[in-house]
Amino acid sequence: MSDLEKDPAEVIGTGECDGPALELLEAREVVLGRTTKVRRLLPNKNRRMVGAWCFVDHYGPDDLTQRVDPYDAPGERGMLVPPHPHTSLQTVSWLFEGEIEHRDSVGSHALVRPGELNIMTAGNGIAHSEVSTPDAPPMLHGAQLWVALPDSVRTTTPPAFNAYADLPRLELDGAYGTVMIGTVAGVTSPAPAYTPLVGADVTIDAGRTLTLPLTPSNEYAVLVVDGALSVGDLTPGFGELVYLGASRDSIELVASDNGVRFLLLGGEPFEEELVMWWNFIGRTHEEIVAARDAWQGAIEAGGNDRFGMVPGYDGAPLPAPPLPSATLRPRPRAR
Ligand code: MN
């Protein structure tokens, strides 16, 4: 997915984490293109990152046969994100329901399906498209996540796309799930990560309490995608994210009477300062300007050294919006 906002805000995070926390973070609604409405949890005005997770969009469940204006467009159904670039990050596509077709400039063509991890590593530059195909199932529910790459690899690791259809399962007392990335309760995913990182899709049975083991050097958050849970005196429901902080060796999560499904996101606090603008991550204003120029040049030339085009995509790539007049500058990770 892409940040399609016409006038994207400048967002920068710096590493800062001071022990356990319990913060309820609310989403803001963002319209992507003409066909998809998402709830953006990160960056949040109160917190910009959790570990290296720097972007969290939650969308659906949407019945693609029941679209209403202004999100419906003639001949378009579900997600329609034309080719757009990324730098210095990984995208993680995770579906709870539905199907999305992914294509990218390294030649990948994949169907993203529920329970399968699709992770794209941008390195210095990649472009991809994501669309709902005409024969996709009617319901679409998922999350699009970005992981910031550390400076040591962000421009040198080659652009790549990896899909994992057979991820390790979590079987816990009263709960079960899938480890997308990193290690949860001793279960480790094969997906590549460049900083200590955790992602898992967990369901707790109705009314049950899960004591989930955590790694104290990581900070964590939970994003509820179905049902509700209690953690401390907070009761996050659908689409709400609770930041748990760090320095915990476990957390007690209590499912509502209807059960709960949530994404667990975590990792070692990311200490490097980031500049995030549109679909680019960099370290300086100048770097963002260079990435934008390279992308616009790639559109003109049909691909260049930094950004290739997306083979098999039927349509025009997405031009970058105008840069803001102000210089992009660092801001603290937490307000
Ligand atoms: Mn994208």
Side-chain angles (χ1 to χ4, degrees):
M1 186 170 302
S2 160
D3 187 339
L4 295 178
E5 285 185 274
K6 292 285 184 287
D7 183 21
E10 160 198 3
V11 183
I12 298 179
T14 60
E16 214 178 86
C17 183
D18 28 26
L22 267 183
E23 296 170 7
L24 183 68
L25 302 184
E26 289 179 358
R28 69 190 171 93
E29 201 168 86
V30 176
V31 176
L32 296 183
R34 289 174 294 173
T35 56
T36 304
K37 190 169 50 165
V38 304
R39 295 172 297 279
R40 183 155 301 160
L41 282 309
L42 290 180
N44 194 286
K45 65 181 178 0
N46 293 323
R47 186 159 293 280
R48 295 186 167 85
M49 298 181 77
V50 175
W53 300 103
C54 59
F55 186 94
V56 175
D57 272 356
H58 177 212
Y59 54 90
D62 289 327
D63 183 343
L64 305 187
T65 65
Q66 299 294 321
R67 288 261 169 204
V68 292
D69 288 338
Y71 307 112
D72 201 6
E76 296 172 1
R77 178 176 178 270
M79 187 171 290
L80 178 58
V81 184
H84 60 278
H86 289 294
T87 58
S88 297
L89 61 87
Q90 292 174 296
T91 62
V92 170
S93 303
W94 188 256
L95 288 182
F96 308 105
E97 286 182 276
E99 184 179 278
I100 291 170
E101 180 187 58
H102 164 100
R103 294 178 188 271
D104 64 41
S105 55
V106 297
S108 316
H109 178 212
L111 291 173
V112 182
R113 296 193 180 99
E116 301 180 5
L117 181 72
N118 289 265
I119 185 163
M120 186 181 79
T121 303
N124 202 40
I126 198 167
H128 72 148
S129 61
E130 293 157 296
V131 302
S132 297
T133 56
D135 53 356
M139 297 302 292
L140 182 62
H141 183 198
Q144 177 72 17
L145 314 159
W146 292 359
V147 177
L149 290 173
D151 202 40
S152 54
V153 303
R154 67 190 182 90
T155 59
T156 53
T157 193
F161 176 82
N162 298 90
Y164 298 89
D166 191 20
L167 291 165
R169 299 282 298 160
L170 274 176
E171 299 291 346
L172 303 166
D173 187 25
Y176 59 92
T178 304
V179 181
M180 299 153 59
I181 195 161
T183 299
V184 180
V187 176
T188 300
S189 163
Y194 295 90
T195 56
L197 194 70
V198 174
D201 179 343
V202 182
T203 297
I204 310 177
D205 295 330
R208 296 292 300 269
T209 297
L210 171 65
T211 302
L212 183 67
L214 302 178
T215 301
S217 55
N218 288 343
E219 56 180 345
Y220 290 92
V222 293
L223 168 60
V224 175
V225 301
D226 192 23
L229 61 77
S230 299
V231 54
D233 54 6
L234 297 179
T235 54
F238 175 81
E240 292 180 322
L241 184 138
V242 170
Y243 176 70
L244 303 172
S247 309
R248 296 179 186 271
D249 53 23
S250 68
I251 189 84
E252 198 166 273
L253 304 169
V254 184
S256 72
D257 292 343
N258 298 317
V260 67
R261 185 175 187 181
F262 63 91
L263 287 184
L264 174 73
L265 301 174
E268 227 164 66
F270 196 84
E271 303 291 348
E272 297 170 26
E273 293 193 344
L274 300 182
V275 182
M276 289 175 64
W277 182 81
W278 193 49
N279 293 301
F280 302 125
I281 293 183
R283 297 296 184 274
T284 64
H285 174 88
E286 290 70 26
E287 227 184 272
I288 299 294
V289 172
R292 185 185 179 282
D293 286 349
W295 173 244
Q296 295 301 102
I299 293 177
E300 297 263 322
N304 59 21
D305 286 353
R306 186 157 184 191
F307 297 108
M309 291 291 103
V310 175
Y313 181 83
D314 182 20
L318 194 67
L323 281 160
S325 49
T327 301
L328 304 170
R329 288 183 191 286
R331 284 182 190 157
R333 168 192 181 84
R335 192 167 61 172

